[in-house]
Amino acid sequence: MALAPDRTVRGLLFDRDDTLVIDVPYNADPHRVVPVPGAHRAVERARAVGLLLGVVTNQSVIAKGMATREEVDATNARVDELVGPFDVWCVCPHDADDGCDCRKPRPGMVFEAAERLGVAPEELVLVGDIGADVGAALAAGAQGILVPTPRTRPEEVEAAPTVVGSLAEAVELVLEHAAAVRS
């Protein structure tokens, strides 16, 4: 699997749950944040080469009334502390049936991240664990990399243009691509 050879990558976006941190359903407790093995190192490598970094995360726990935005922000701050720092955080607080433009697989958060980072969406790669992550990337004109987990559905893996086995592999693919485009 490869990224588009004619596209410069200036930024890397990540899904939060099951991509950067172990998924705890509806987690809004900073004390329950546990990074995915190798996440800090992978993010650190991307930062070291000058990529802009962001997180785009669906957090319906807010819409469901199970947590406040402040609790989610505190949880994200803990992720930032353990895995980041990230240049931008974009959070969709809506539920699946709310019809918003930000909830993945819709492209709103990717567009927001691009604007806040000062790059075109086409210059971003989004790494996530489900089809909605890749769908949001593609809908915004970005590239997507799927890192399947046991919860990723087979049809999501089949549909994804780029699939790798780990977060470290995803970041390595982006770094190799960036180096090839520069040379």
Side-chain angles (χ1 to χ4, degrees):
M1 300 288 173
L3 298 174
D6 59 336
R7 298 198 23 203
T8 299
V9 175
R10 295 182 54 206
L12 191 50
L13 304 178
F14 301 92
D15 169 58
R16 187 187 87 175
D17 301 318
D18 256 357
T19 300
L20 293 174
V21 298
I22 305 285
D23 185 31
V24 175
Y26 304 114
N27 186 28
D29 179 354
H31 301 293
R32 298 181 73 194
V33 171
V34 177
V36 167
H40 181 267
R41 176 76 179 120
V43 171
E44 188 175 66
R45 291 193 66 222
R47 186 181 319 101
V49 300
L51 289 175
L52 299 165
L53 303 174
V55 179
V56 292
T57 180
N58 289 346
Q59 293 298 320
S60 64
V61 66
I62 299 167
K64 292 178 187 311
M66 298 164 62
T68 65
R69 177 61 190 249
E70 292 74 22
E71 289 169 321
V72 169
D73 288 346
T75 303
N76 292 343
R78 181 67 174 151
V79 176
D80 212 51
E81 179 184 320
L82 295 175
V83 182
F86 296 95
D87 300 306
V88 66
W89 277 84
C90 300
V91 176
C92 171
H94 305 106
D95 211 344
D97 297 329
D98 288 348
C100 65
D101 291 330
C102 50
R103 185 173 175 82
K104 294 178 288 181
R106 293 183 188 95
M109 286 191 288
V110 178
F111 288 138
E112 178 188 347
E115 182 177 329
R116 290 173 58 195
L117 292 169
V119 300
E122 296 79 16
E123 297 174 305
L124 295 172
V125 175
L126 171 57
V127 178
D129 65 302
I130 61 172
D133 299 317
V134 173
L138 299 179
Q143 297 184 79
I145 299 175
L146 184 69
V147 180
T149 69
R151 282 191 285 274
T152 310
R153 297 190 320 262
E155 59 268 22
E156 294 172 318
V157 176
E158 184 67 31
T162 305
V163 181
V164 298
S166 70
L167 179 60
E169 288 178 46
V171 170
E172 185 60 34
L173 181 64
V174 171
L175 297 182
E176 288 172 6
H177 173 81
V181 169
R182 278 196 299 269
S183 60

